[in-house]
Amino acid sequence: MRARYGRIILRFWKNSLIREMSFRGHFIVNVTSEILWMGLLLVFIRVIFSKTSNVRGWNEEQYLFLMGTHMLVTSLFGAFFYNNCWRLAELVRSGDLDFVLLRPASAQILLSFERVDYSSLARIPIGGTLCVYALVSLEQTVTASQIGLFFVLVLSGVVIMYSLLFMFAVSSVWLIRQTSIDHLWFYAVSLARYPAEIYRQFAGGFLYFALVFVVPLLLVANLPANVMVRAFDPYLAAYFVVSCLVLLGVSSLAFRFALRWYRSASS
Amino acid sequence: MARAGGAQAASFAAGSRRYSYDLPRSVPWPGMGAIHVHNLKKTYRVHRKPQGLSASVRSLFRRQYKMVRAVDGISFDIEPGEMVGFLGPNGAGKTTTLKVLSGLIYPTEGHVRVLDFVPQERKNAYRRQFALLMGQKNQLWWDLPAAESFRLHKEIYTIDDERFERVQDDLTEMLSVKDLLNQPVRELSLGERMKMELIAALLHSPSVLFLDEPTIGLDVVAQASIRRCLRDYNRDHGVTVLLTSHYMQDIEALCDRVMVINHGRLVHDGPLQTIIERFAAHKILTLRFQEGAWPDRIEDVGDVIEFNPPAVTLRVPRESVTRHAAELLSAYALSDVSIEDPPIDDVISAMYGDSAMMTPDQEASGA
């Protein structure tokens, strides 16, 4: 008998929703802080573009579209995976990972989908509005295949972020304490909010190379935004989708390897 | 508790007891053995934490480890439907053994088979057939009613609707927590929560149940209720149970057989009563003297436990207790004499101490 993952995940989502609804205050505070944060970023962009007409080839509308895309990606990632990845570290520390390993189903799936942070989804309509507003201002027509590719790349970006953070979290089996990695992660994700081109000039392009080809975090918003409002690089897009699949596989291998270690070391 | 069954239930007699199982499952027949453990050893590598700052800094670069043997070559077999108590002081290796049996950790040496599965292979077919309940841990969603956690279990264990409803009804009725099903777990008392944990562990009708201190910290009423549930469930479903507890009442009420582990070694495996016969070096002699019949040197007979003239309670070596009692009876006027076994708790704690002296070179931890 195989576990029916669709039904399990649906139950996770339902339970998370029931849980979220019992903390109405939490939901409202989160949504409010998301809106404030976005307002702040818009002011930041306005200030930049009052001094210059473009940043490394991105004009203000294109930049807004990039920001909207970044919101979509981080919102989906934040809602579905961010908390689950950190919970893994917590479960390792407390030893409660045992209970997940007892279940007759894939531990990685159980761990990765258990909690949904619905308040994080509030950024989706905000990011979507920003994208549509930018497209209208640009007076740009987009084809159905562009939109399709855009969503494929957004989802690939979410999967890449998930795979990377899941691997970080897996390292808690050896490191136990994870606070420093949380900070590292926060800065890495913040970098992806800006046009990728601005990183080419740092450290002889090393940072750009590392953030595109080693941990492809820089592309998670840039690449889908490029497809819609700027030039489209098919090779880079193909590389991105392939690296998404590869990273997903590697995260799964890393998890299994760590479990072997955890299971022979834990008491 | 209604009997699970219908056309698919298989039942058979073993000795004087009847077992009934729900199919489909690989039904362990008597003689096959539900749990088989042979020469199980588990060694942990533990970071030796140095004292002082400079030593701590040095240990950042060069760690020192020591090997700790948590389980040191234990062997036992448990038949289907048996309820076995697992006793031992903290750190004796009880939890480690339960974790090996659950497939959570690898044994360093030895063979383990449960229901004809090798636990560390962690096959889903095996994981559907057992449950591990830990009294000090919480498996239910804290902020949600228990009913929601149960529904999640239903999906993870692919329990069909009809069966799920029936089992949940039976168990909530048995533990009288039906009206608490829709209350968030965080609002339940410890006893109520533990009952919900037990239901969660039994929802998929496991054949083997590992219970690690299921009554810890509970009040007397809740303890009794959980005990009753376990006894009835074992009787009705023939589930094999391995139970650790610090409360001797749990073991006395539930287990015909007791295994005592200390420093990773099995020091006793048999009925609870034989522990007293084997390990109690003393008996408790209580004397009540008649007026004016008080002897001069009562402390020569044994250690005085309670001094309450004209009554006195003494701990007397087992082999000389009848002789002393007879001598006192003939020499003094006594209104009452009783000879009793010491409380089982005392025997067991003395046993822990004794076996520690038998193996002073062993370092044990990990439970």
Side-chain angles (χ1 to χ4, degrees):
Chain A
M1 205 177 347
R2 280 187 62 80
R4 289 173 294 193
Y5 289 109
R7 298 183 63 140
I8 295 174
I9 291 170
L10 206 62
R11 177 48 64 185
F12 278 146
W13 291 354
K14 272 190 199 163
N15 282 4
S16 295
L17 192 61
I18 297 171
R19 185 165 173 270
E20 188 95 28
M21 287 193 302
S22 64
F23 301 109
R24 271 180 310 174
H26 165 252
F27 186 83
I28 292 164
V29 169
N30 268 15
V31 171
T32 313
S33 68
E34 294 291 356
I35 291 171
L36 284 176
W37 176 236
M38 193 208 59
L40 215 64
L41 286 173
L42 287 179
V43 170
F44 172 66
I45 291 179
R46 203 68 275 284
V47 169
I48 291 174
F49 284 96
S50 66
K51 306 284 180 202
T52 176
S53 62
N54 80 79
V55 173
R56 294 271 147 182
W58 295 69
N59 65 28
E60 185 168 0
E61 285 75 23
Q62 291 169 330
Y63 200 120
L64 281 179
F65 191 90
L66 173 65
M67 245 190 63
T69 310
H70 186 262
M71 274 186 189
L72 292 182
V73 175
T74 52
S75 158
L76 287 170
F77 171 73
F80 292 104
F81 298 119
Y82 182 79
N83 288 339
N84 288 313
C85 289
W86 287 116
R87 224 172 71 83
L88 169 59
E90 179 55 31
L91 290 176
V92 167
R93 200 188 53 73
S94 66
D96 286 350
L97 184 60
D98 288 352
F99 291 123
V100 182
L101 302 180
L102 291 175
R103 308 278 174 240
S106 153
Q108 184 167 3
I109 292 180
L110 295 183
L111 285 166
S112 303
F113 288 94
E114 183 166 336
R115 301 281 159 97
V116 181
D117 177 14
Y118 285 95
S119 61
S120 180
L121 290 176
R123 263 180 301 178
I124 286 193
I126 303 174
T129 309
L130 216 53
C131 287
V132 172
Y133 169 78
L135 281 179
V136 171
S137 309
L138 283 166
E139 294 177 0
Q140 196 161 337
T141 50
V142 285
T143 62
S145 56
Q146 262 179 307
I147 296 176
L149 188 59
F150 172 78
F151 283 113
V152 168
L153 292 176
V154 163
L155 288 183
S156 304
V158 172
V159 173
I160 283 180
M161 290 176 82
Y162 158 75
S163 308
L164 289 172
L165 188 59
F166 190 76
M167 274 188 273
F168 275 148
V170 159
S171 70
S172 60
V173 168
W174 295 280
L175 300 175
I176 308 298
R177 274 186 71 119
Q178 288 274 321
T179 337
S180 46
I181 289 182
D182 194 10
H183 293 161
L184 181 70
W185 178 257
F186 175 76
Y187 293 123
V189 171
S190 301
L191 293 180
R193 192 185 303 129
Y194 308 106
E197 288 80 357
I198 66 175
Y199 299 103
R200 283 185 192 273
Q201 58 190 340
F202 291 120
F206 172 76
L207 188 61
Y208 177 83
F209 179 84
L211 284 173
V212 170
F213 294 105
V214 183
V215 277
L217 272 176
L218 203 50
L219 298 180
V220 296
N222 269 269
L223 205 56
N226 269 311
V227 167
M228 293 290 273
V229 294
R230 297 177 82 237
F232 163 55
D233 181 345
Y235 294 111
L236 206 53
Y239 159 77
F240 191 64
V241 174
V242 168
S243 66
C244 145
L245 297 174
V246 169
L247 280 174
L248 191 59
V250 171
S251 79
S252 176
L253 287 177
F255 180 58
R256 280 180 215 183
F257 178 73
L259 276 193
R260 275 221 311 259
W261 202 89
Y262 171 81
R263 277 150 43 69
S264 58
S266 73
S267 62
Chain B
M1 166 101 197
R3 275 234 168 165
Q8 283 189 310
S11 69
F12 50 85
S16 58
R17 297 160 79 179
R18 279 185 76 76
Y19 298 88
S20 97
Y21 288 91
D22 273 27
L23 293 178
R25 278 209 228 123
S26 69
V27 178
W29 295 86
M32 174 182 142
I35 301 175
H36 170 73
V37 174
H38 179 71
N39 195 29
L40 171 66
K41 291 184 184 172
K42 175 68 193 175
T43 311
Y44 294 111
R45 194 176 73 149
V46 179
H47 174 211
R48 199 194 289 264
K49 275 210 184 69
Q51 288 187 340
L53 181 64
S54 62
S56 291
V57 172
R58 246 179 289 134
S59 84
L60 277 176
F61 303 99
R62 201 184 170 151
R63 295 202 150 210
Q64 288 198 323
Y65 294 96
K66 64 174 177 183
M67 303 306 282
V68 171
R69 179 153 283 178
V71 177
D72 192 13
I74 65 174
S75 303
F76 58 84
D77 281 274
I78 296 178
E79 293 300 312
E82 248 190 302
M83 228 175 177
V84 178
F86 205 17
L87 291 177
N90 292 328
K94 301 186 298 282
T95 306
T96 301
T97 307
L98 290 189
K99 283 188 172 183
V100 170
L101 290 173
S102 311
L104 286 173
I105 49 182
Y106 292 116
T108 313
E109 242 181 84
H111 302 285
V112 174
R113 285 185 90 78
V114 184
L115 302 172
D116 220 19
F117 289 98
V118 177
Q120 67 263 31
E121 287 174 2
R122 296 175 63 226
K123 292 199 172 128
N124 281 347
Y126 174 54
R127 289 188 289 186
R128 284 178 196 290
Q129 292 196 46
F130 78 92
L132 170 68
L133 177 73
M134 299 176 114
Q136 316 214 45
K137 301 261 180 168
N138 179 29
Q139 300 190 57
L140 302 169
W141 282 46
W142 189 246
D143 300 308
L144 254 50
E148 305 299 340
S149 288
F150 295 167
R151 285 193 194 109
L152 178 63
H153 274 245
K154 171 185 179 298
E155 301 303 348
I156 292 176
Y157 285 93
T158 46
I159 308 167
D160 65 57
D161 296 348
E162 182 265 333
R163 184 192 170 90
F164 171 76
E165 294 296 335
R166 193 187 64 218
V167 175
Q168 183 181 278
D169 276 356
D170 286 350
L171 291 170
T172 46
E173 203 169 296
M174 197 181 210
L175 289 161
S176 30
V177 285
K178 206 162 220 163
D179 49 337
L180 299 174
L181 264 179
N182 292 308
Q183 204 162 320
V185 168
R186 71 181 129 83
E187 291 172 10
L188 300 178
S189 73
L190 184 60
E192 290 161 349
R193 189 156 61 73
M194 210 53 228
K195 290 177 184 178
M196 294 300 187
E197 293 276 350
L198 182 59
I199 293 172
L202 294 174
L203 270 180
H204 62 285
S205 313
S207 310
V208 171
L209 199 52
F210 301 123
L211 302 169
D212 196 11
E213 315 217 4
T215 54
I216 194 158
L218 304 189
D219 63 58
V220 185
V221 181
Q223 278 187 21
S225 167
I226 285 192
R227 245 175 250 147
R228 198 166 45 241
C229 170
L230 287 173
R231 199 183 48 226
D232 293 353
Y233 194 85
N234 169 262
R235 186 194 60 218
D236 295 342
H237 296 263
V239 63
T240 309
V241 181
L242 186 55
L243 164 105
T244 80
S245 178
H246 281 307
Y247 299 114
M248 205 50 63
Q249 295 101 309
D250 284 350
I251 307 287
E252 282 181 313
L254 296 172
C255 307
D256 299 329
R257 175 180 165 196
V258 178
M259 298 192 293
V260 183
I261 186 174
N262 197 14
H263 294 270
R265 291 197 176 155
L266 217 50
V267 290
H268 174 82
D269 184 355
L272 191 59
Q273 191 52 39
T274 57
I275 291 184
I276 297 173
E277 287 157 21
R278 272 183 68 192
F279 293 92
H282 297 87
K283 286 218 172 207
I284 305 298
L285 175 63
T286 307
L287 306 162
R288 180 176 288 273
F289 293 93
Q290 283 177 14
E291 202 103 4
W294 191 256
D296 290 337
R297 295 180 58 82
I298 189 71
E299 58 274 16
D300 288 352
V301 177
D303 300 333
V304 176
I305 305 172
E306 222 178 286
F307 187 74
N308 194 14
V312 65
T313 306
L314 303 153
R315 185 165 44 226
V316 184
R318 220 180 161 76
E319 60 281 358
S320 60
V321 69
T322 39
R323 179 170 53 82
H324 281 301
E327 281 169 11
L328 287 163
L329 264 172
S330 60
Y332 301 95
L334 283 154
S335 60
D336 197 13
V337 179
S338 77
I339 302 172
E340 283 167 353
D341 282 321
I344 184 80
D345 282 297
D346 295 354
V347 181
I348 302 247
S349 47
M351 224 173 128
Y352 294 166
D354 280 357
S355 50
M357 280 189 286
M358 287 189 305
T359 53
D361 53 337
Q362 297 291 323
E363 271 186 307
S365 160

